[in-house]
Amino acid sequence: MVLVLVIAHVVLTLPAFTINLIATFQIADINEHFEGVANDVVILMFFANAAVNPILYGVFNTNFQAAFSFCPCKKLNPIPPGITPSPLSMRNSSISSPDAMFRST
C-alpha cells in the first residue's frame, strides 16, 4: 500500500516541482515554453494528489475501511464480510460498541 501511495504522489507532483525548479533557477524561460492547457493540467495533477490519497487508503487499508463502518449511513451501506473495526479506533471512545452509536439515549 505504501508503495502505491508513494508512486501516486511522485507521479502527480513531480511535474509541478520540476516546473517550479526550472523557474526558480531560470534554467529556461518557463513562461515561453509552458503555458495554457499544459499549465492547467500540471496544476490539476498537483491538486489531484490530495484527492487520490483517501481513495487509495479506502481501497487498500482495511483499518480505514473499518473506520467508515461507523458511518451513520451504515444501514444503507452495510459492512462487507471479513472487515472488523480496529480496537484502536474504539479505545478513546466513550462508545462501548458500534451499535451503541445508533441507539438513542
Side-chain angles (χ1 to χ4, degrees), residues 48-70:
N49 180 51
V52 166
N53 279 337
I55 294 168
L56 292 176
Y57 273 106
V59 169
F60 291 110
N61 193 338
T62 55
N63 287 335
F64 195 79
Q65 293 169 356
F68 276 97
S69 69
F70 295 113

Side-chain angles (χ1 to χ4, degrees), residues 17-29:
F17 286 127
T18 304
I19 290 168
N20 285 335
L21 187 67
I22 291 169
T24 300
F25 291 109
Q26 299 174 351
I27 298 169
D29 187 11

Side-chain angles (χ1 to χ4, degrees), residues 7-80:
I7 290 172
H9 176 72
V10 169
V11 167
L12 293 171
T13 59
L14 188 62
F17 286 127
T18 304
I19 290 168
N20 285 335
L21 187 67
I22 291 169
T24 300
F25 291 109
Q26 299 174 351
I27 298 169
D29 187 11
I30 200 72
N31 294 328
E32 184 178 304
H33 300 290
F34 191 78
E35 57 185 69
V37 176
N39 189 28
D40 294 341
V41 169
V42 168
I43 292 170
L44 184 64
M45 286 174 62
F46 188 77
F47 286 117
N49 180 51
V52 166
N53 279 337
I55 294 168
L56 292 176
Y57 273 106
V59 169
F60 291 110
N61 193 338
T62 55
N63 287 335
F64 195 79
Q65 293 169 356
F68 276 97
S69 69
F70 295 113
C71 180
C73 57
K74 177 180 171 182
K75 293 180 182 182
L76 298 175
N77 196 3
I79 303 170

Side-chain angles (χ1 to χ4, degrees), residues 62-63 66-67 69-70 84-91:
T62 55
N63 287 335
S69 69
F70 295 113
T84 57
S86 169
L88 296 176
S89 64
M90 297 297 288
R91 180 174 50 184

